[in-house]
């Protein structure tokens, strides 16, 4: 019997700096409602889906920085999302800035949670690959201060038994790193959920700008194929506070083929019926890890100049 998750890539258009949490949550609930009408089991929202992408600004005032973070999840403004999930029987992936009291100190993470159809949090992931820089760089047209505002995630890349399958999460820049998918692939992941905020313009390497859409697809299609899993990648898109962000949210099958896609730069839902068993033929043949991976042969003695020559 096939195992189907009907998944909605719930892309968001721009979120203004002054947008209230309640206004954003209302947009998310509208997408959950649309997803429910189309029979979705799960919707995937972008990275930092509750606010504008604040790391684009250098903010000297920590109180202002912290105003973009959630101290509770669900909290007073986000509880309605969990109610909607419960009422409509649609789970969700949500990216948000998390302020946590841990180990006797206040910590800041770029986080995603997985919420099931009963409105219960069944998984949490904290972004590991934080791009950008930690100090103000005035030469840039806009900043990318994730290394200033967030700590590296401390939860690894766990997978979760939910929605009848094995699901994992990643956040934005993580999708460019093969380790992200492989660490979850080695745990038999069947679907990887990824939210992102990707500016078209890359200040340190503007020569990559024309390739931003190509690279977005390339990494998620190869991650899916090489690990025989579904990948759902969802953007915060469009012109947000003067910064143009790519859209192109996609749903990728274990074959590496794109089977669903957003075509606008606004709030939009792209839907696909994802058969989790579609990965099996790859897992039993070309990507049978137990039979064909050679981890012992990957170990190579290297020095700072490169590979050591054979004896
Ligand atoms: N939010 C991100 O992680 N964005 C990066 C940008 C800075 C390149 C990304 O990999 O899309």
């Amino acid at each position: 019997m096939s195992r189907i998750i009907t998944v909605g890539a719930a892309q968001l258009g721009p979120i203004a700096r002054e947008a209230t949490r309640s206004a954003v949550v209302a947009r998310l609930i509208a997408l959950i409602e649309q997803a429910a009408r189309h029979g979705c089991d799960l919707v995937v929202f972008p990275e930092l889906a509750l606010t504008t992408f604040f790391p684009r600004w250098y903010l000297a005032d920590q109180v202002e920085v912290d105003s973009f973070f959630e101290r509770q999840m669900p909290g007073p403004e986000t509880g309605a999302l969990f109610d909607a999930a419960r009422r409509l029987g649609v789970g969700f992936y949500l990216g948000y800035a998390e302020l946590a009291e841990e180990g006797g100190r206040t910590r800041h993470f770029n986080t995603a949670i997985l919420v099931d159809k009963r409105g219960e949090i069944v998984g949490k992931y904290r972004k590991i690959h934080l791009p950008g820089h930690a100090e103000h760089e005035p030469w840039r047209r806009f900043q990318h201060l994730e290394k200033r505002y967030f700590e590296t995630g401390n939860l690894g890349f766990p997978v979760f038994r939910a929605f009848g399958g094995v699901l994992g999460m990643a956040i934005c820049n993580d999708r460019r790193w093969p380790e992200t998918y492989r660490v979850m692939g080695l745990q038999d992941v069947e679907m990887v959920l990824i939210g992102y905020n990707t500016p078209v313009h890359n200040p340190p390497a503007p020569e990559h700008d024309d390739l931003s859409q190509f690279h977005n697809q390339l990494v998620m299609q190869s991650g899916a194929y090489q690990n025989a899993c579904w990948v759902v990648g969802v953007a915060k898109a469009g012109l947000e506070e003067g910064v143009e962000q790519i859209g192109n949210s996609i749903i990728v099958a274990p074959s590496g083929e794109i089977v669903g896609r957003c075509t606008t730069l606004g709030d939009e839902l792209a839907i696909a019926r994802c058969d989790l068993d579609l990965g099996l033929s790859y897992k039993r043949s070309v990507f049978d890890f137990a039979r064909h991976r050679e981890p012992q042969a990957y170990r190579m003695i290297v020095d700072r100049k490169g590979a050591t020559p054979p004896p």
Side-chain angles (χ1 to χ4, degrees), residues 9-12 196 216 233-236 247-251 260-262 270:
Q11 180 176 282
L12 291 177
Y196 59 90
N216 181 51
V234 182
K236 170 111 76 53
N248 204 11
S249 302
I250 49 174
I251 302 171
R261 182 198 296 278
C262 290

Side-chain angles (χ1 to χ4, degrees), residues 47 53 127 131 144 146 172-173 175-176 197-199:
E47 172 190 38
F53 188 77
K127 186 174 182 177
H144 198 104
E146 285 198 59
C172 197
N173 192 258
R175 76 194 190 286
R176 303 186 192 274
N197 281 264
T198 299

Side-chain angles (χ1 to χ4, degrees), residues 58-306:
Y58 174 74
L59 304 169
D61 177 2
Q62 190 60 39
V63 174
E64 186 177 13
V65 173
D66 287 353
S67 71
F68 291 101
F69 283 74
E70 309 303 311
R71 289 178 159 73
Q72 268 175 279
M73 189 56 70
E77 288 116 335
T78 48
L81 273 175
F82 293 73
D83 294 341
R86 227 168 278 129
R87 175 168 52 89
L88 298 165
V90 179
F92 61 86
Y93 161 113
L94 177 74
Y96 65 100
E98 178 192 12
L99 201 151
E101 298 298 332
E102 264 182 24
R105 63 189 178 98
T106 303
R107 309 190 65 172
H108 297 77
F109 296 104
N110 187 341
T111 295
I113 47 168
L114 181 62
V115 174
D116 72 9
K117 294 176 171 204
R118 295 164 304 153
E120 303 293 332
I121 296 177
V122 291
K124 180 185 273 195
Y125 167 71
R126 289 170 171 163
K127 186 174 182 177
I128 288 176
H129 300 101
L130 296 173
H133 47 112
E135 300 305 325
H136 188 210
E137 296 185 359
W139 60 269
R140 290 170 177 255
R141 189 155 64 73
F142 54 87
Q143 305 291 300
H144 198 104
L145 285 158
E146 285 198 59
K147 287 191 192 295
R148 183 179 192 85
Y149 298 139
F150 301 115
E151 291 176 60
T152 303
N154 59 356
L155 301 176
F157 282 110
V159 299
F160 305 96
R161 297 205 163 273
F163 299 90
V166 181
L167 275 62
M169 293 182 276
I171 301 178
C172 197
N173 192 258
D174 288 322
R175 76 194 190 286
R176 303 186 192 274
W177 298 88
E179 295 88 339
T180 298
Y181 307 92
R182 182 49 51 94
V183 169
M184 292 188 269
L186 290 168
Q187 299 171 78
D188 298 322
V189 76
E190 293 176 310
M191 181 179 279
V192 175
L193 315 175
I194 307 172
Y196 59 90
N197 281 264
T198 299
V200 174
H201 176 51
N202 181 8
E207 65 274 21
H208 301 171
D209 293 0
D210 286 346
L211 296 170
S212 58
Q213 303 285 5
F214 168 66
H215 289 154
N216 181 51
Q217 291 186 191
L218 175 71
V219 292
M220 292 195 278
Q221 290 184 265
S222 52
Y225 170 64
Q226 291 171 343
N227 295 282
C229 63
W230 290 86
V231 172
V232 185
V234 182
K236 170 111 76 53
L239 187 64
E240 188 179 85
E241 299 292 348
V243 177
E244 204 187 338
Q245 307 212 110
I246 66 164
N248 204 11
S249 302
I250 49 174
I251 302 171
V252 187
S255 60
E257 293 165 290
I258 295 172
V259 299
R261 182 198 296 278
C262 290
T263 56
T264 71
L265 291 174
D267 293 11
E268 182 183 348
L269 192 70
I271 299 171
R273 292 180 78 248
C274 304
D275 181 349
L276 298 180
D277 289 334
L278 266 186
L280 285 178
S281 68
Y282 297 93
K283 284 179 172 150
R284 287 176 182 153
S285 59
V286 63
F287 294 125
D288 182 338
F289 287 172
R291 263 201 311 154
H292 303 310
R293 277 184 83 248
E294 299 288 0
Q296 70 290 343
Y298 306 150
R299 294 178 59 226
M300 203 171 34
I301 302 166
V302 289
D303 62 21
R304 298 176 81 145
K305 295 183 199 74

Side-chain angles (χ1 to χ4, degrees), residues 5-71:
I5 301 181
T6 301
V7 67
Q11 180 176 282
L12 291 177
I15 298 178
R17 185 171 184 160
E18 67 274 11
T20 63
R21 294 288 200 291
S22 306
V24 177
V25 165
R27 284 167 62 181
L28 304 186
I29 290 175
L31 285 162
I32 295 179
E33 287 171 345
Q34 194 185 334
R37 287 196 293 278
H38 288 89
C40 288
D41 301 296
L42 169 65
V43 297
V44 181
F45 293 117
E47 172 190 38
L48 299 177
L50 297 172
T51 66
T52 199
F53 188 77
F54 62 91
R56 72 169 61 92
W57 295 298
Y58 174 74
L59 304 169
D61 177 2
Q62 190 60 39
V63 174
E64 186 177 13
V65 173
D66 287 353
S67 71
F68 291 101
F69 283 74
E70 309 303 311
R71 289 178 159 73

